[in-house]
Structure formats: structure tokens, C-alpha cells
Amino acid sequence: MVMSHRLVATLLRGPAFAALAAVLAASASSTAFAEGGKLYPQTKLRLTVVQWMPTRGEYQQWPALGGEYVVSAAGTVMLPVLGAVPVGDLDSQSLATDIANRLQEKIGLVTRPETTVEVVQYPPIYVVGDVAKPGEYAYRTDLTVLQALALGGGELRDADATRSQQEIRLVGELRSLDDGILRSMSRIARLEAEMAGAGKIEFPPVPAGNANSRLATEIFEQEKIIFSARRNALDRQEKSLSELRDLLTAEIKVLEQKIEATEEGIRTTEQELSGVKVLVDKGIAVVSRRTDLERVLAGYRSDRLDHMTAVMRARQGMTETTRNLEGLADQHQTEVAAELQREQANLDEARLKKEISQKLLMETLSSAPAAAGDAKTLTYTITRQEAGRPKQFEAEEDTPLLPGDVVKAAFVRDAGAAPDAAAAAASPKATQ
């Protein structure tokens, strides 16, 4: 359709240009997805409907019809106003044209609205059989059987390789558990020594020539360092509190001496003040002398109150220090007991894990190995829905997939393999 220069200029302005750009982008997107061809059931579509409004000079979207829809199992799309629209063998462009024609006919429009259909998501594919991670995977265009196998983690590994990996893992777990048990036992020995107030740690014996003997020596030395450091820290705390208590005791003695000296000054000043008052009353001494003595007496009494307050504070500090000093040992015992309880629980858990790992390792070692020379080939089959019914056929690694396909990988014994040897390998006697 040929547009006038005025119409083109109008389209390039403001919201009209934005709406047109959205239509063109959606059209380009639907064209890209349309390369997949047929729209299969469970395909998620995004519908966009716009119409040119000559009175406004812009494209206007129809939000009531636009949105995301899913193709039903019956091959239809349920749309507002139109109801069930059959998809059939249409691609996204053909479906968009069909919807536009139906809207024009249904509503009675003069011109057909611009409609685009974009594929948002294809139905998934399913990978099953002898693969590492069977399951559901997202489909993309040009996906092949080999790529689907890669999505499923590749082919299932041989039993011997799996068994060998499990043995290595179990052996590593047992070694790690042995080291953890040794560390827990050493830590428990150190905590028990702290609880008892012992001067040294009685570590558990380690058999001579054991692979853990060197590790045990290192762990024992580390625990000795921790034991010595914690004991020294406790001694320092006790010494610090004891020195603080002694200092407060000495401070109280000094303050009591000051109080005695202040009281002596108060008594002396009071006696002198009594004599001066008599002389002042007789007119022999001046009044200023009495005033000075009264001022001195008030200063003595104020100092006595300050000293008594300081004594009370010092006694309060000494009481708190004594309480902290007496509770220091109890607090340390409580912390050590709680830590000992947690470590004992960790030791019991590690021993239980070790027992389970040992049983698993014994079962793995006693299981029957796979038969030697048993050559296998990985084959593929695809199950695809056609005309509402599943159809199965053989496939190769480069076979392209369609949405909804089920890919099954299976190992098949080569024709040259000896059936008698395979049967013997699978028999209980051979397993033993």
C-alpha cells in the first residue's frame, strides 16, 4: 500500500511511530520463529493486534485481544470475541493473517487490522533411557538428537566406572572421618583435662606405624598449645581480679585514715570555734575570726562526706570484683562443659557416619563386576505425536527434533558379543 508524504510524516511523529515500531518488531520476531513451521500443541503464542486510526493519525493497540495464548491439545487457540481458532498446519504468519480476516469479518471492519503472532515458547522435549539426567528440557529450533543427549548429561556411564568412582569417594570419606574422629577425641581429652584442672592432657593412644600417627602428633601439639593458652588466660584473669581487689582494699584503708584525720580536724575546729564565740560575745575577738573558723569547719565536714562516698564506691567495686573472681572458675567450667558436650555429639555423629560408609564400601566391593569385553552401542528412538497418536521410529545423532518429541537412548549389545559370556557374567554364581 502506498502512503502519502503527509501520512508518512504523521507516522514518524510521537506515539504513532512507537506503535508502528512495535508492530514491525513483532512482525520481524514472528517471522524468525515462523521458520519452525507448524505450531504444535502446548506452544505458547503472543498475539498483538493494532489498527490504524485515521482520525488520530496513529496506530492503536487492542489490549483486549492481545496477550499470550497456548495451543490446545485439539490444535486450537481460544481468543476473546473469536472463540476457538483452529491452528491446523498454519505457521505463525498464516495464523496471524487468519485471525485478522476473522476479526474483520466478525466485527465488520472496513480495513483488516494488523495482527502478529509470535512464538514465545515451544513445547518441551523429553530425554529418557540410558542417559545421566533424564527429564524435560526446553526446545529450540534446529535441535538434534545428539544435542538432546548433551542436555540429558550424556550417556549413562558404565557400571564399572560408576563403581570405581563410588569406591574412591567412600575411601576419601572414610579417611576424612578418621581424621575428624581423631581431632574430636583429642579435643575431648583437652576439655576433660580443663574440667579436672589437670596440669597436662592424657591423649588417646595411636597405634604405632598407623597412617594417622604423624597427623596425631600434630593434632596433639596443637591441643597442647590451646590448653596452655587457655590456662594462662584464666590465670591472668584471676590474677587481674585479685590485684584489683587488693587495690580496692588498700584504697579503702587510705580513705578510712583520711576520714579519721578529717574527724580530728572537725573536733579541733569545733573546740576552737566555741572559744572564739565566747570572745566575740565579750567583744575581745572580731567576728571575722568566727566566720573563718565556721568556713573551715564546713570544709572539713564536706571532705568527710566525700571520703565516705569514696569508701562506699570502693567497697561496692570490691564486692563486684570478689563476685567476678569467685564466678570466674564456675563460668569457665560451664563453658568447657558445654563445649565438651557439643564435641561428644560431633564424635558420635562422625562414628555413625564412618560405620555407614564402611558398610557401603563393603557392599560396593562385594558387588559383581561387569563382564569384560561386553561391547555396547547407544541407539536412539523418537516418539512423536502425529494425528493425535504416538508414532515411534529409529533416529540417528543428527536427526532433527520437533517440539514435544520424546527421545529414548538405549544401549544395545553388539552382534559380536558372546551371549554365553554375558549370561555367565549376569548369573549369581558369576557374581559370587
Side-chain angles (χ1 to χ4, degrees):
M1 183 173 63
V2 180
M3 297 183 180
S4 65
H5 293 289
R6 180 177 301 175
L7 181 58
V8 173
T10 303
L11 290 175
L12 293 177
R13 291 199 302 266
F17 177 71
L20 180 60
V23 173
L24 295 177
S27 301
S29 177
S30 68
T31 303
F33 278 104
E35 295 178 358
K38 181 180 177 181
L39 301 176
Y40 297 89
Q42 305 306 318
T43 300
K44 183 182 291 187
L45 306 175
R46 181 182 293 116
L47 175 64
T48 305
V49 181
V50 298
Q51 186 180 18
W52 173 252
M53 305 297 292
T55 57
R56 298 183 181 180
E58 63 179 13
Y59 276 97
Q60 184 176 2
Q61 290 192 7
W62 293 7
L65 289 176
E68 294 186 357
Y69 303 92
V70 178
V71 180
S72 67
T76 60
V77 178
M78 292 296 299
L79 299 178
V81 179
L82 298 180
V85 177
V87 176
D89 295 331
L90 300 177
D91 58 14
S92 58
Q93 290 183 347
S94 301
L95 179 61
T97 303
D98 183 56
I99 292 174
N101 293 332
R102 289 172 180 268
L103 286 174
Q104 183 182 12
E105 181 180 355
K106 181 77 174 181
I107 303 176
L109 300 174
V110 178
T111 59
R112 188 177 63 183
E114 297 292 338
T115 306
T116 60
V117 174
E118 176 187 359
V119 177
V120 178
Q121 183 180 6
Y122 287 106
I125 62 167
Y126 302 88
V127 183
V128 298
D130 295 332
V131 293
K133 297 185 296 182
E136 174 185 311
Y137 296 95
Y139 174 82
R140 60 174 178 78
T141 56
D142 300 328
L143 186 67
T144 63
V145 170
L146 184 60
Q147 293 171 340
L149 178 64
L151 293 176
E155 63 186 43
L156 190 64
R157 296 186 177 182
D158 186 72
D160 283 342
T162 305
R163 186 182 299 107
S164 177
Q165 291 180 356
Q166 187 174 6
E167 291 174 4
I168 295 173
R169 179 179 60 81
L170 291 173
V171 170
E173 288 182 0
L174 286 173
R175 183 172 299 177
S176 177
L177 289 172
D178 285 336
D179 294 347
I181 290 173
L182 179 60
R183 293 181 185 276
S184 293
M185 294 176 63
S186 303
R187 196 172 294 115
I188 288 174
R190 188 251 300 168
L191 293 173
E192 290 177 345
E194 291 185 13
M195 285 281 294
K200 63 177 183 178
I201 309 174
E202 296 294 336
F203 290 106
V206 178
N210 192 296
N212 289 336
S213 58
R214 181 177 178 182
L215 177 63
T217 303
E218 296 178 357
I219 294 176
F220 293 166
E221 292 298 325
Q222 294 172 358
E223 293 297 332
K224 288 179 181 178
I225 294 174
I226 297 174
F227 176 76
S228 178
R230 287 165 66 101
R231 184 178 60 183
N232 293 337
L234 182 62
D235 293 341
R236 284 194 298 270
Q237 289 179 345
E238 291 179 347
K239 183 179 178 181
S240 177
L241 291 174
S242 298
E243 292 177 350
L244 178 59
R245 184 174 61 179
D246 295 340
L247 181 62
L248 291 172
T249 302
E251 182 181 358
I252 291 174
K253 290 181 179 179
V254 173
L255 290 172
E256 288 175 348
Q257 293 176 358
K258 287 185 176 181
I259 291 174
E260 292 178 359
T262 304
E263 289 179 347
E264 180 65 23
I266 291 173
R267 286 192 297 270
T268 303
T269 304
E270 286 177 345
Q271 292 175 1
E272 185 178 357
L273 181 60
S274 298
V276 171
K277 284 182 178 180
V278 175
L279 295 176
V280 171
D281 293 339
K282 293 180 178 181
I284 299 175
V286 295
V287 178
S288 60
R289 175 59 179 167
R290 185 182 63 183
T291 304
D292 292 340
L293 289 175
E294 289 176 348
R295 187 181 298 110
V296 172
L297 181 60
Y300 277 132
R301 289 173 177 172
S302 176
D303 291 342
R304 183 178 61 181
L305 290 176
D306 292 341
H307 295 330
M308 293 178 66
T309 304
V311 169
M312 294 176 62
R313 290 176 179 174
R315 286 177 178 172
Q316 182 180 4
M318 188 172 64
T319 302
E320 184 178 357
T321 302
T322 303
R323 182 175 63 252
N324 293 338
L325 182 59
E326 293 176 351
L328 184 62
D330 295 338
Q331 182 181 359
H332 179 70
Q333 289 289 94
T334 302
E335 293 176 354
V336 172
E339 190 175 352
L340 180 61
Q341 186 178 14
R342 290 193 298 268
E343 199 58 43
Q344 188 65 51
N346 294 336
L347 178 60
D348 295 340
E349 183 180 359
R351 285 174 173 170
L352 178 60
K353 289 182 179 179
K354 179 181 178 181
E355 182 180 357
I356 295 174
S357 297
Q358 286 177 337
K359 291 181 180 180
L360 291 175
L361 182 59
M362 293 300 296
E363 291 180 1
T364 303
L365 294 175
S366 62
S367 61
D374 190 10
K376 298 178 181 179
T377 302
L378 190 63
T379 61
Y380 310 97
T381 57
I382 297 177
T383 302
R384 180 174 297 167
Q385 293 289 332
E386 293 186 0
R389 301 182 63 180
K391 180 181 179 181
Q392 190 176 38
F393 57 91
E394 295 182 357
E396 301 294 336
E397 292 182 346
D398 58 350
T399 301
L401 298 177
L402 295 180
D405 282 353
V406 179
V407 182
K408 181 178 181 180
F411 282 108
V412 176
R413 193 184 315 279
D414 290 347
D420 294 339
S427 65
K429 186 178 292 185
T431 304
Q432 296 176 356

